[in-house]
Amino acid sequence: MTRKRSKHINLNRMRKQFSAKPLAIGIASVFLAACTDNRQQATIYTSAQDCANENPEQAQVCATAYQEALAEAERTGPKYNSEQDCESEFGPNQCRQVERSSGSFFMPFMAGYMLSNLLSPNRYQYQPMFTSYSPYSPYRYRWIGAGGYDYGDLRKRNYKVRPDAFKPKPAVTRTIKRGGFGSSVRAKSSWGSKSSSKGGWGG
Amino acid sequence: MFRIPSEPRKNWQQKAKDFGFSFHSMYGEPYWDESAYYQFNLQQIENDLEDPSVEIHQMCLQVVDKVVNNDALLSAFKIPEPFWQGVKDSWRKHDPSLYSRLDFAYDGSGPAKLYENNADTPTSLYESGFWQWLWLQDLVDGNQLSRQADQFNSLQEKLIGRLHEIAGHYQTEQIHFACCQDTIEDRGTVQYLQDCAAESGILGPFVFIEDIGLGESGRFTDLKNNPIETLFKLYPWEFMQREEFGDYVESSQTNWIEPLWKSVLSNKALMPMLWKMFKGHPNLLPAYFEDELHLCDHTRIVKKPLFSREGANVSILEKGQEIAHADGPYGEEGFIYQAFHPLPKFDNNYTLIGSWLVNDQAAGISVREDSSLITQDMSRYLPHIILG
């Protein structure tokens, strides 16, 4: 007999009370575990020195890649209007102020960088990595890419990743203005039946 | 089709809490009501609801095709002129749609009659796709219902699959989700879609509609200043098109869910247009634009605003006299008229069937009851089963 209803629903995903599992962890497992043959070895280092310690022959590449990752971190890393917002995501003293001609904002320090193909100096690839020390953040003690991907526990350093893990991430931009959507709702709500209705602008 | 009284699950309110179903009762009134359920047989489901839903959806797509190629019709549909090209482009590019809900009057026999198509921002999705599914599962497990009992409800399965396809279409691993502040029902609906997205391996950050920003790059941004590339918005196109950020809808290069071409379908002008193109179709009610009212010889007609939610501003006229009316803030863009066809009554309740589509596939039904002929947002939601 063919059933006309969903065969299976993941109840753990739907449960809201006990499972505060952040979304990103599920993604990371897809990202890392989607086993295809083109995955490549990648290692996360916390500093250029950390990289050089493990790859003494490649100290120069470690240093260059670190600088490149820093620049990439500034371009694509998370940005906040206030230090408080940044610290609540990344922890106390984990954020710095960045000044731009268009204004200033706060972003977390780069906590490390992921490197691949270190041994072929012209083709090495890098990505900045962040982590959080905030007890309020699902990213606490985890490696997070600029795009929000959760690579796993801070203690884990060696990964097999798909090549697109190194694709440049879209730049985070400054927001010029907010609040340009939603005025119709304010207008229609003032019509006054909200107290007796569930509200909502769906149908 | 029967309405059958049923013993509510002892622990259902605790369960609702565990699963985050927070809008099951509002202001002391029940919304989710499991003191009864509706029973259909498989033939009623497949022949009278599922097949017609798929067919009507195809007819609706033919309407879109006609409207986007005719500026006079775009104007009759009250789509602001600056959006005409965007609507046309999104249709020609086949921008993928996620879901819609067709509302039917149906009493178990004869053709279901289409009231309207909620193609842009349909709600009651969580109750349909998940909560009534869980109800059936519990009642079968508790031997309150036969193991043969089924439900027309593959919504969640299909939503997960479709979100995956849409992410693939736009080559993205992330879809932003948005609804307005201060509405727990809409937030619940969007949270449900975020859960479905997560289940299909997509990152689904949330932003309130009011918090959306315009970035230096020209893209819309979320509260963390991340660019919004693909956005599911539980917020009607007809509002967005008339608001300040409407000017940036196209230049922001956002991938919209629902796509812009859906603004043709979520518009009540669809109803007279369907009647023009498919006059006499068994599932359609005669419907007319304001300037065609002389063609209408029905004694009772329903007057609906072009843009309206949840039955607001709908009135029922008999020989030109208003005999029922629902208040609301809509109507400034004009009205359409539809032949009156009453909702069937089961134990003093007026019953409305919502038939869900995910993209172009029928995906299940929802049943709502109201004490009034005009179903509004305080109507109650009842589960259903298929047996026999």
Side-chain angles (χ1 to χ4, degrees), chain B residues 68-257:
Chain B
V68 300
N69 288 304
N70 183 323
D71 290 353
L73 285 173
L74 283 167
S75 166
F77 274 62
K78 298 287 188 278
I79 293 170
E81 198 172 336
F83 288 91
W84 291 2
Q85 195 55 46
V87 171
K88 288 173 209 235
D89 290 346
S90 99
W91 176 245
R92 283 178 198 143
K93 280 188 304 187
H94 304 284
D95 285 350
S97 86
L98 179 61
Y99 74 136
S100 42
R101 193 191 74 225
L102 302 170
D103 283 345
F104 286 110
Y106 177 65
D107 66 2
S109 64
K113 295 289 187 185
L114 180 69
Y115 271 14
E116 58 191 53
N117 185 357
N118 296 282
D120 188 16
T121 60
T123 53
S124 73
L125 187 67
Y126 175 83
E127 307 87 292
S128 304
F130 176 65
W131 192 247
Q132 71 166 344
W133 184 93
L134 191 64
W135 168 86
L136 176 64
Q137 205 74 5
D138 285 348
L139 263 65
V140 169
D141 289 347
N143 290 320
Q144 263 179 279
L145 277 176
S146 151
R147 298 227 153 256
Q148 307 302 316
D150 197 3
Q151 194 171 70
F152 181 29
N153 178 16
S154 55
L155 252 180
Q156 182 154 341
E157 210 164 77
K158 289 198 164 73
L159 286 169
I160 292 170
R162 184 61 179 162
L163 284 165
H164 188 76
E165 283 173 12
I166 293 177
H169 176 92
Y170 290 124
Q171 299 193 314
T172 181
E173 284 160 338
Q174 172 169 296
I175 296 175
H176 276 81
F177 289 83
C179 71
C180 285
Q181 292 165 358
D182 305 322
T183 117
I184 57 170
E185 186 191 9
D186 287 6
R187 186 67 192 88
T189 302
V190 169
Q191 182 59 54
Y192 179 52
L193 285 168
Q194 287 175 268
D195 290 341
C196 290
E199 196 61 18
S200 68
I202 301 164
L203 229 86
F206 176 82
V207 59
F208 281 114
I209 288 284
E210 293 90 337
D211 286 338
I212 290 175
L214 181 66
E216 266 172 349
S217 61
R219 282 208 179 265
F220 290 123
T221 59
D222 63 17
L223 270 183
K224 294 182 174 175
N225 296 321
N226 288 313
I228 297 174
E229 293 177 5
T230 305
L231 179 66
F232 172 90
K233 42 126 214 113
L234 192 67
Y235 191 61
W237 270 121
E238 72 262 17
F239 287 0
M240 294 177 60
Q241 288 165 345
R242 289 164 174 78
E243 295 177 356
E244 188 189 347
F245 276 2
D247 295 348
Y248 306 98
V249 158
E250 283 187 65
S251 57
S252 68
Q253 297 184 300
T254 313
N255 305 314
W256 298 100
I257 309 170

Side-chain angles (χ1 to χ4, degrees), chain A residues 4-7 13 16 27 89 149 172 174-178 180 182 184 191 197-198 201-203, chain B residues 18 50 101 121 133 150-151 153 157 173 186 195 199 203 211 214 216 221 224-225 243-244 377:
Chain A
K4 297 195 80 70
R5 67 182 192 272
S6 298
K7 281 172 201 65
R13 168 83 65 198
K16 295 290 178 293
I27 300 306
E89 188 75 89
Y149 296 113
V172 172
R174 234 176 81 76
T175 297
I176 305 166
K177 178 166 200 187
R178 293 193 192 278
S184 310
W191 164 71
S197 101
K198 294 201 305 298
W201 302 97
Chain B
D18 290 349
E50 183 173 16
R101 193 191 74 225
T121 60
W133 184 93
D150 197 3
Q151 194 171 70
N153 178 16
E157 210 164 77
E173 284 160 338
D186 287 6
D195 290 341
E199 196 61 18
L203 229 86
D211 286 338
L214 181 66
E216 266 172 349
T221 59
K224 294 182 174 175
N225 296 321
E243 295 177 356
E244 188 189 347
D377 66 348

